[in-house]
Amino acid sequence: MLKIVVTGGCGFIGSHLVERLAGAGHKVVVYDTSPPPPDLPLDGMDNVRHVRGDVIDTSSLAAVITPDVDLIYHLSAMVGVDRYLRQPLDVIDVNVLGTRNVLRLALAADAQVVVASTSEVYGKNPQVPWSEDSDRVLGGTSADRWTYSTSKALAEHMTFAMAREHGLQATVVRYFNVYGPRQRSAYVVSRSVRRVLTGHAPEMYDSGAQTRCFTYVDDAIEGTVRAASSPAAQGECFNIGSHQETSVSEVIRLVRKIAGFTGGNDTLDTGVAFGAVYQDIERRIPETTKARTALGWQCAVPLEEGITRTIEWARRNPWWLRGPFD
Ligand SMILES: NC(=O)c1ccc[n+]([C@@H]2O[C@H](COP(=O)([O-])OP(=O)(O)OC[C@H]3O[C@@H](n4cnc5c(N)ncnc54)[C@H](O)[C@@H]3O)[C@@H](O)[C@H]2O)c1
């Protein structure tokens, strides 16, 4: 049994990770500025403690990352296109300063760290699939869209530097379009599910021809946990994503079919809605040989199955359906 801190443990991926770790009997401290999701009452769980705090606040964070902590999963971040277009400075502060704080305290506590990163670090590199060493290809700094990618890349650089220069036990996982229960409605699967289950037409950005490799949250959690427990993962980073390249229009079609929605689609012209600061990525595909070889990990949940589970969960959780569209 380990003592584990999960930053961002009240968020989408973090809350699933907390459930998994608590279920395995670990002692878990959740550190997050947000309250837990209504269907995961952390206060009722014996081996879980929720501390409400900000990763930028070093003294509050230091009270949680103490020398008895074995492992930290650092997931707290400002995530989502809506946020990096509206709050680019907060994105940079939380993702860079917050990560620096977590890494420094982890080193002082002699704790191991797994840092959540993103496929966004590859930017718009047209040469897919992306292996872990692929180039980062970004647009200019006048487009706020790249603040997230850049902040996460800097978080990765800090992690690798701390591992190399100071011997920090650290691993980076780069998630690719994770979806599933509890996700904010700012993403194509969660947004389409909420829309069709509340009688609204799904909203397709532009032509819907852009492709993604949608990764069910349970698969992402499995990859994350394996990254923490594998000695070969120290100082390394891993793409954690599905191989099933799917267009946005196809994923919307699947949501409609599984939910039994018969109405049409709405379309959103991102150039008009968001302006030039928004730059979409045509194809986003991971090369996952490294995770398969070093962690013995690959996705197990096909897209149709994952969407079905997400819709079934949403039907059982009206609090989520009642939420505003992000
Ligand atoms: N969902 C995806 O598809 C995806 C893809 C790539 C990477 N990621 C990464 O995975 C991690 C989790 O993402 P998610 O989808 O669960 O996002 P999320 O927004 O649901 O969760 C993030 C959590 O961090 C918390 N948080 C934000 N700022 C904080 C701060 N200053 N101090 C403490 N807590 C703070 C939020 O309250 C939230 O609970 C993030 O690091 C994100 O960059 C997610």
Side-chain angles (χ1 to χ4, degrees), residues 102-168:
V102 169
L103 295 174
R104 283 185 173 167
L105 288 166
L107 191 65
D110 195 21
Q112 182 192 341
V113 196
V114 175
V115 175
S117 187
T118 172
S119 55
E120 284 272 347
V121 296
Y122 300 108
K124 54 184 178 181
N125 183 344
Q127 282 175 327
V128 286
W130 298 325
S131 69
E132 284 78 357
D133 292 329
S134 288
D135 288 342
R136 304 184 57 228
V137 179
L138 307 183
T141 49
S142 56
D144 290 331
R145 190 251 176 274
W146 304 113
T147 53
Y148 177 68
S149 169
T150 303
S151 68
K152 284 298 210 175
L154 205 47
E156 289 198 16
H157 277 302
M158 287 191 289
T159 307
F160 297 135
M162 290 279 257
R164 271 194 306 270
E165 286 182 31
H166 301 290
L168 180 73

Side-chain angles (χ1 to χ4, degrees), residues 160-304:
F160 297 135
M162 290 279 257
R164 271 194 306 270
E165 286 182 31
H166 301 290
L168 180 73
Q169 297 281 293
T171 305
V172 170
V173 286
R174 288 186 190 143
Y175 298 129
F176 281 68
N177 287 86
V178 184
Y179 72 98
R182 298 195 195 113
Q183 186 168 35
R184 241 170 22 94
S185 64
Y187 308 88
V188 62
V189 175
S190 54
R191 191 175 183 82
S192 304
V193 167
R194 183 177 286 174
R195 286 186 75 91
V196 300
L197 293 187
T198 56
H200 298 84
E203 199 171 48
M204 189 143 73
Y205 280 20
D206 302 316
S207 70
Q210 60 278 41
T211 63
R212 301 290 183 261
C213 289
F214 295 97
T215 307
Y216 189 64
V217 65
D218 288 2
D219 283 330
I221 298 303
E222 183 63 35
T224 307
V225 169
R226 285 184 187 221
S229 57
S230 164
Q234 295 313 312
E236 298 290 335
C237 74
F238 296 93
N239 285 340
I240 297 294
S242 150
H243 267 132
Q244 205 180 340
E245 182 181 10
T246 308
S247 67
V248 163
S249 62
E250 171 62 5
V251 88
I252 288 176
R253 189 192 69 78
L254 283 173
V255 169
R256 295 161 52 104
K257 184 186 97 174
I258 295 165
F261 183 82
T262 51
N265 286 342
D266 283 345
T267 49
L268 185 134
D269 182 331
T270 56
V272 173
F274 306 127
V277 289
Y278 184 87
Q279 297 180 13
D280 210 346
I281 290 156
E282 240 169 81
R283 298 176 75 199
R284 187 184 279 163
I285 304 168
E287 165 61 66
T288 55
T289 307
K290 190 173 170 186
R292 227 177 22 255
T293 313
L295 309 178
W297 174 87
Q298 61 186 357
C299 278
V301 182
L303 184 57
E304 241 184 286

